mmCIF file of all heavy atoms in Angstrom:
data_model
loop_
_atom_site.group_PDB
_atom_site.id
_atom_site.type_symbol
_atom_site.label_atom_id
_atom_site.label_comp_id
_atom_site.label_asym_id
_atom_site.label_seq_id
_atom_site.Cartn_x
_atom_site.Cartn_y
_atom_site.Cartn_z
ATOM 1 N N MET A 42 -17.353 8.007 4.565
ATOM 2 C CA MET A 42 -16.775 7.196 3.486
ATOM 3 C C MET A 42 -15.247 7.150 3.536
ATOM 4 O O MET A 42 -14.602 6.397 2.806
ATOM 5 C CB MET A 42 -17.244 7.728 2.119
ATOM 6 C CG MET A 42 -18.678 7.314 1.799
ATOM 7 S SD MET A 42 -19.458 8.307 0.506
ATOM 8 C CE MET A 42 -18.338 8.091 -0.860
ATOM 9 N N ILE A 44 -11.707 6.114 4.797
ATOM 10 C CA ILE A 44 -11.188 4.946 5.527
ATOM 11 C C ILE A 44 -10.406 5.404 6.764
ATOM 12 O O ILE A 44 -9.948 6.536 6.838
ATOM 13 C CB ILE A 44 -10.268 4.056 4.654
ATOM 14 C CG1 ILE A 44 -9.001 4.808 4.217
ATOM 15 C CG2 ILE A 44 -11.023 3.471 3.481
ATOM 16 C CD1 ILE A 44 -7.904 3.889 3.738
ATOM 17 N N ASP A 143 -14.282 -0.314 -2.973
ATOM 18 C CA ASP A 143 -14.892 0.538 -1.944
ATOM 19 C C ASP A 143 -15.869 1.535 -2.566
ATOM 20 O O ASP A 143 -15.870 2.708 -2.216
ATOM 21 C CB ASP A 143 -13.795 1.277 -1.151
ATOM 22 C CG ASP A 143 -14.348 1.935 0.102
ATOM 23 O OD1 ASP A 143 -15.448 1.566 0.543
ATOM 24 O OD2 ASP A 143 -13.665 2.831 0.640
ATOM 25 N N LYS A 146 -22.260 -0.412 -2.844
ATOM 26 C CA LYS A 146 -22.290 -1.814 -2.432
ATOM 27 C C LYS A 146 -23.144 -2.684 -3.373
ATOM 28 O O LYS A 146 -22.879 -3.878 -3.530
ATOM 29 C CB LYS A 146 -22.808 -1.940 -0.987
ATOM 30 C CG LYS A 146 -22.107 -0.998 -0.001
ATOM 31 C CD LYS A 146 -20.596 -1.034 -0.116
ATOM 32 C CE LYS A 146 -19.926 0.118 0.634
ATOM 33 N NZ LYS A 146 -18.525 0.365 0.231
ATOM 34 N N ASP A 169 -13.906 -3.368 1.028
ATOM 35 C CA ASP A 169 -14.173 -2.622 2.260
ATOM 36 C C ASP A 169 -15.644 -2.701 2.668
ATOM 37 O O ASP A 169 -16.516 -2.999 1.853
ATOM 38 C CB ASP A 169 -13.776 -1.154 2.053
ATOM 39 C CG ASP A 169 -13.634 -0.414 3.376
ATOM 40 O OD1 ASP A 169 -13.268 -1.054 4.375
ATOM 41 O OD2 ASP A 169 -13.889 0.808 3.407
ATOM 42 N N ASN A 170 -15.896 -2.429 3.938
ATOM 43 C CA ASN A 170 -17.255 -2.328 4.507
ATOM 44 C C ASN A 170 -18.030 -3.635 4.497
ATOM 45 O O ASN A 170 -19.269 -3.626 4.466
ATOM 46 C CB ASN A 170 -18.088 -1.258 3.776
ATOM 47 C CG ASN A 170 -17.454 0.115 3.817
ATOM 48 O OD1 ASN A 170 -16.947 0.586 2.789
ATOM 49 N ND2 ASN A 170 -17.453 0.741 4.967
HETATM 50 CA CA1 CA B 301 -15.478 2.345 2.684
#
Side-chain angles (χ1 to χ4, degrees):
M42 283 162 57
I44 64 163
D143 192 18
K146 310 312 167 197
D169 197 31
N170 302 108

